[in-house]
């Protein structure tokens, strides 16, 4: 599995780039090279969760980046959830790429002081043994994250085989994260992998959380082209029936 905040294919290699290269977030020039690099990385995984994928606006050359990555990465199944749309200039979405066909895909708007956040859920298999994969991008503020994690906990509470991945904008031992561990089968990571900022990773704010019945290994950070986040990869072992 892979979780990647791709920053809409933009390039940020130092904090000053947020100002000096702000134009790169509003136009599509050069982003195809970044997307091709991300597609190559994504194609080495079976299920990929994306954050900050542009679903088709001026800054992406009106290209649905999730669809593009699915085609270039060899994924037969893909879904996206548009969360923020600034006219036709810039949009942002969660995305899911999969080489395994999901039985069902749903998306949910997340609560928060400022709108524009969501969680995208895919169900693989049926019944209690089915695997549920959720992709989310949480808010910067702790109060909003608290309400968002409470909402996600309600969605995942009854699923013993669950994965929640994405950009949480917080480390895994924050008080608001305890909601997930108390109300769902998800467990805290056994170790943290710093993913932000990509040029000098110091903060573990991107996570792949798995339920207690799922065995996992090899959590590692990978450059997501020129994004300000490193991608996070993990191998998981689920019952065959969970993907049937």
């Amino acid at each position: 599995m892979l979780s990647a905040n791709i920053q809409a294919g933009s390039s940020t290699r130092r904090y000053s780039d947020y100002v000096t290269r702000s134009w790169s977030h509003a136009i599509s020039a050069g982003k195809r090279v970044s997307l091709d690099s991300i597609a190559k990385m994504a194609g080495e995984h079976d299920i990929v969760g994306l954050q900050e994928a542009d679903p088709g606006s001026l800054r992406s050359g009106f290209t649905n980046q999730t669809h593009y990555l699915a085609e270039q990465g060899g994924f037969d199944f893909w879904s996206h959830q548009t969360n923020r749309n600034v006219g036709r200039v810039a949009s942002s979405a969660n995305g899911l790429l999969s080489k395994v066909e999901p039985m069902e895909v749903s998306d949910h708007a997340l609560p928060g002081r400022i709108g524009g956040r969501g969680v995208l859920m895919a169900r693989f298999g049926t019944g209690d043994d089915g695997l549920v994969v959720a992709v989310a991008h949480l808010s910067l503020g702790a109060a909003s994250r608290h309400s968002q994690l409470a909402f996600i906990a309600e969605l995942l509470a009854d699923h013993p085989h669950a994965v929640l991945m994405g950009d949480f904008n917080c480390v895994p031992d924050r008080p608001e994260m305890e909601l997930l561990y108390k109300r769902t089968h998800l467990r805290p990571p056994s170790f943290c992998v710093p993913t932000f900022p990509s040029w000098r990773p110091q903060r573990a704010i991107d996570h792949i959380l798995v339920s207690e019945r799922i065995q996992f290994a090899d959590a590692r950070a990978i450059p997501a082209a020129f994004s300000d986040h490193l991608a996070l990869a993990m191998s998981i072992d689920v019952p065959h029936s969970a993907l049937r």
Side-chain angles (χ1 to χ4, degrees):
M1 308 196 81
L2 181 78
S3 179
N5 181 326
I6 66 171
Q7 203 185 14
S10 298
S11 174
T12 303
R13 306 306 301 158
R14 58 189 64 84
Y15 282 114
S16 60
D17 284 353
Y18 288 115
V19 176
T20 60
R21 293 182 58 82
S22 59
W23 55 268
S24 72
H25 298 269
I27 62 174
S28 62
K31 293 181 181 177
R32 192 60 58 90
V33 174
S34 293
L35 291 176
D36 288 342
S37 175
I38 294 167
K40 182 178 180 179
M41 170 189 64
E44 298 175 357
H45 301 81
D46 297 311
I47 299 176
V48 177
L50 303 172
Q51 306 91 52
E52 292 193 29
D54 195 302
S57 66
L58 177 63
R59 68 171 176 174
S60 66
F62 301 101
T63 296
N64 185 314
Q65 293 180 336
T66 303
H67 185 200
Y68 182 84
L69 292 174
E71 289 187 327
Q72 299 302 310
F75 293 91
D76 291 330
F77 309 100
W78 67 278
S79 300
H80 79 283
Q81 174 196 27
T82 302
N83 296 311
R84 187 168 298 165
N85 191 350
V86 184
R88 292 172 60 83
V89 176
S91 299
S92 187
N94 292 327
L96 179 77
L97 313 175
S98 180
K99 295 179 180 178
V100 183
E101 184 175 8
M103 300 286 292
E104 178 186 11
V105 178
S106 60
D107 63 80
H108 308 266
L110 289 175
R113 188 174 61 86
I114 300 175
R117 304 284 182 174
V119 57
L120 179 64
M121 290 181 56
R123 184 195 299 269
F124 301 85
T126 59
D128 290 341
D129 284 338
L131 175 68
V132 172
V133 177
V135 182
H137 188 181
L138 304 185
S139 292
L140 293 170
S144 290
R145 284 199 304 271
H146 186 280
S147 60
Q148 291 164 0
L149 289 166
F151 182 91
I152 293 172
E154 186 173 347
L155 292 176
L156 298 180
D158 297 329
H159 298 289
H161 296 103
V163 176
L164 173 62
M165 59 179 165
D167 178 358
F168 287 57
N169 272 311
C170 70
V171 296
D173 59 355
R174 285 282 305 176
E176 60 266 28
M177 293 288 287
E178 292 298 323
L179 287 169
L180 286 175
Y181 312 140
K182 291 179 178 178
R183 301 181 186 178
T184 73
H185 297 272
L186 297 171
R187 58 189 175 186
S190 55
F191 57 93
C192 294
V193 180
T195 55
F196 183 86
S198 58
W199 55 92
R200 189 181 297 172
Q202 297 175 327
R203 301 181 62 207
I205 62 174
D206 299 273
H207 309 298
I208 300 177
L209 302 180
V210 301
S211 60
E212 53 201 8
R213 296 189 185 182
I214 297 177
Q215 299 297 315
F216 66 93
D218 303 328
R220 60 202 182 277
I222 308 170
F226 307 110
S227 173
D228 56 351
H229 288 248
L230 296 177
L232 185 64
M234 179 185 290
S235 299
I236 69 169
D237 185 13
V238 297
H240 180 71
S241 59
L243 299 176
R244 189 172 300 165

